């Protein structure tokens, strides 16, 4: 499973690494709504929430489906501007002007995308013009409660009014807490963007992408970027560019905008506590599958305490050598067991460090 970006014909000068205040505000709203995703930000979130005006807090709940369960592409509005080459603005006001450049159809479909299952990677009808799609959007909104229904009905009935509401809300967030947060974070983001841009200039796209995340890889022969994620998607730069947008508030999320007709974007965390080489989704699946078998769990109990030979394990567990070998092979393939030779004996032992990381690896993998 992965998201792929076809970059055939992409010139290096069309790759840009640029911070985005609008994207960072979106991530701030997400972190405030889903603090469990971001344990490292709980102190910041508690401080912001404690100072928040109750009226603004209520408004924050009104449209939180745009940032709570996931991250709406509305916060990467520059990617939807015609021409597929627009860069983020330097200020939130400039970015909100770019958001205003989206058509009503773009705005509505993007706002309803995650909660109402509208088309994403492929061209499809628009909710504003397709009656069946409108009904479907409202049916799915109903499953999320009356607040979602009311907002979706207002959005479909009067997009300009909701657009003005959202802009005013984001401006009020900037005044209430985000201006202070952005003043603190923008220097780190600018430094990271300069570093990645220098890597891109001196060593090429492959090195720059490797510095973005170990989950991002470039296959130069196939002219394709692959992002290891628990999901499938595909997009292409075609005649546009590629944006790399850093976030200080985003870990563990590594997001790929691959919306049909929009400029592809990699929205990646910087200064994150992630491991230097987190396991791929395939490796994580192998590890969880390997540990799901009761016999292998019992073997792990032994191997966590000491190193054992295959012969010793057959005696301890009352199984044949071929049976033990098959289970060990599964554990070794998953990277959970190490082996070392001592004379004519081969000793097997559980890699306790890898097993201890499984919880954080699992969370990083599903939220990436």
């Amino acid at each position: 499973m992965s998201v792929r970006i076809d970059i055939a014909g992409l010139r290096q000068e069309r790759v840009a690494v640029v911070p985005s205040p609008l994207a960072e505000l979106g991530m701030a709203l997400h972190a405030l709504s889903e603090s469990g995703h971001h344990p490292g930000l709980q102190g910041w979130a508690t401080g912001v929430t404690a100072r928040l005006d109750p009226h603004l807090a209520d408004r924050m709940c009104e449209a939180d489906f745009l940032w709570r369960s996931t991250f709406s592409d509305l916060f990467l509005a520059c990617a939807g501007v015609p021409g597929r080459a627009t860069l983020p603005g330097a200020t939130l006001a400039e970015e909100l002007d770019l958001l205003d450049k989206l058509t009503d159809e773009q705005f509505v479909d993007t706002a309803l995308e995650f909660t109402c299952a509208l088309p994403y990677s492929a061209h499809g009808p628009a909710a504003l013009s397709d009656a069946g799609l409108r009904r479907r959007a409202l049916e799915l909104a109903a499953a999320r409660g009356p607040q979602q229904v009311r907002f979706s009905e207002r959005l479909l009935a009067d997009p300009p009014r909701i657009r003005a509401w959202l802009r005013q809300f984001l401006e009020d967030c900037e005044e209430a807490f985000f201006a202070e947060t952005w003043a603190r974070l923008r220097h780190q983001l600018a430094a990271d963007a300069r570093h990645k841009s220098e890597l891109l200039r001196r060593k090429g796209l492959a090195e720059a992408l490797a510095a973005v995340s170990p989950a991002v890889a470039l296959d130069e022969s196939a002219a394709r970027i692959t992002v290891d994620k628990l999901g499938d998607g595909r997009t292409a730069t075609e005649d546009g560019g590629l944006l790399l947008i850093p976030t200080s508030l985003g870990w563990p999320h590594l997001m790929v905008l691959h919306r049909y007709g929009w400029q592809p974007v990699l929205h990646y965390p910087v200064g994150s506590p992630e491991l230097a080489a987190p396991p791929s989704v395939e490796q994580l699946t192998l590890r969880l599958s390997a540990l799901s078998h009761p016999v292998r769990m019992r073997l792990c109990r032994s191997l966590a305490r000491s190193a054992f030979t295959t012969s010793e394990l057959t005696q301890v567990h009352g199984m044949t050598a071929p049976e033990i070998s098959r289970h060990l092979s599964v554990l070794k393939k998953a990277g959970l067991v190490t082996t070392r030779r001592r004379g004519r004996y081969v000793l097997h032992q559980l890699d306790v460090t890898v097993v201890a990381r499984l919880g954080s690896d699992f969370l990083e993998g599903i939220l990436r």
Side-chain angles (χ1 to χ4, degrees):
M1 289 180 283
S2 61
V3 178
R4 297 170 298 282
I5 305 173
D6 293 327
I7 59 169
L10 177 67
R11 301 191 307 274
Q12 187 163 299
E13 60 268 24
R14 299 298 297 273
V15 181
V17 191
V18 190
S20 163
L22 179 58
E24 200 69 353
L25 174 53
M27 191 53 68
L29 290 168
H30 170 70
L32 290 170
S33 300
E34 284 288 358
S35 57
H37 288 192
H38 307 273
L41 298 176
Q42 287 185 355
W44 168 83
T46 300
V48 170
T49 303
R51 301 192 308 269
L52 212 56
D53 175 75
H55 179 58
L56 182 60
D58 289 341
R59 292 160 64 203
M60 192 177 293
C61 295
E62 192 171 346
D64 67 353
F65 62 89
L66 292 175
W67 53 77
R68 176 181 287 276
S69 60
T70 186
F71 185 83
S72 174
D73 290 343
L74 290 176
F75 293 102
L76 296 167
C78 60
V81 175
R84 294 158 53 96
T86 301
L87 300 180
T91 66
L92 183 64
E94 291 176 16
E95 294 246 79
L96 293 177
D97 289 343
L98 294 178
L99 181 59
D100 288 342
K101 290 185 177 182
L102 300 183
T103 66
D104 283 348
E105 287 77 11
Q106 283 180 301
F107 185 91
V108 170
D109 287 353
T110 305
L112 294 178
E113 168 215 333
F114 292 107
T115 53
C116 299
L118 297 179
Y120 187 82
S121 295
H123 182 63
L128 281 180
S129 57
D130 188 286
L133 201 56
R134 289 167 66 95
R135 286 193 299 272
R136 176 63 173 160
L138 292 174
E139 287 172 3
L140 292 171
R144 294 178 174 263
Q147 184 168 275
Q148 169 89 51
V149 174
R150 287 193 296 270
F151 194 91
S152 299
E153 287 174 340
R154 290 163 54 206
L155 177 63
L156 289 164
D158 192 355
R161 181 182 176 188
I162 296 299
R163 297 181 71 155
W165 179 93
L166 181 62
R167 176 162 187 148
Q168 185 62 59
F169 168 73
L170 296 176
E171 289 172 343
D172 291 346
C173 286
E174 180 180 36
E175 182 178 350
F177 67 90
F178 183 67
E180 178 185 344
T181 300
W182 180 248
R184 177 171 54 86
L185 298 179
R186 63 188 178 90
H187 301 293
Q188 179 194 28
L189 296 176
D192 182 84
R194 287 194 298 271
H195 172 63
K196 300 292 193 302
S197 298
E198 186 66 10
L199 277 177
L200 180 67
R201 184 182 69 82
R202 298 184 61 179
K203 298 189 176 181
L205 183 57
E207 289 286 336
L209 293 175
V212 163
S213 169
V216 182
L218 171 64
D219 184 340
E220 295 190 71
S221 62
R224 181 171 60 239
I225 297 168
T226 300
V227 185
D228 184 57
K229 287 177 66 69
L230 194 63
D232 290 300
R234 187 164 194 148
T235 187
T237 51
E238 296 180 350
D239 57 347
L242 173 67
L243 279 177
L244 309 179
I245 296 181
T247 168
S248 289
L249 302 175
W251 188 87
H253 306 301
L254 170 64
M255 289 175 289
V256 188
L257 190 160
H258 53 100
R259 175 179 291 278
Y260 179 83
W262 288 40
Q263 182 177 193
V265 179
L266 283 173
H267 189 213
Y268 66 93
V270 302
S272 68
E274 71 176 333
L275 303 170
S280 66
V281 171
E282 181 182 5
Q283 288 172 318
L284 183 60
T285 304
L286 276 175
R287 289 173 183 175
L288 294 175
S289 177
L291 292 174
S292 67
H293 197 288
V295 171
R296 290 194 284 272
M297 287 185 68
R298 290 197 297 272
L299 286 175
C300 286
R301 178 179 171 84
S302 298
L303 297 171
R305 297 178 176 186
S306 182
F308 284 82
T309 66
T310 301
S311 178
E312 288 172 326
L313 290 171
T314 63
Q315 296 177 33
V316 172
H317 293 275
M319 300 171 65
T320 66
E323 288 175 323
I324 293 292
S325 293
R326 282 196 296 271
H327 286 298
L328 286 174
S329 177
V330 172
L331 292 169
K332 284 189 284 187
K333 185 177 181 181
L336 298 170
V337 166
T338 61
T339 61
R340 69 178 190 273
R341 182 171 290 278
R342 189 175 64 195
R344 63 189 183 91
Y345 297 103
V346 176
L347 297 173
H348 311 283
Q349 191 161 18
L350 189 70
D351 191 329
V352 177
T353 302
V354 170
V355 176
R357 287 202 311 247
L358 270 177
S360 58
D361 286 345
F362 176 73
L363 187 63
E364 192 273 342
I366 61 174
L367 294 179
R368 186 186 298 159

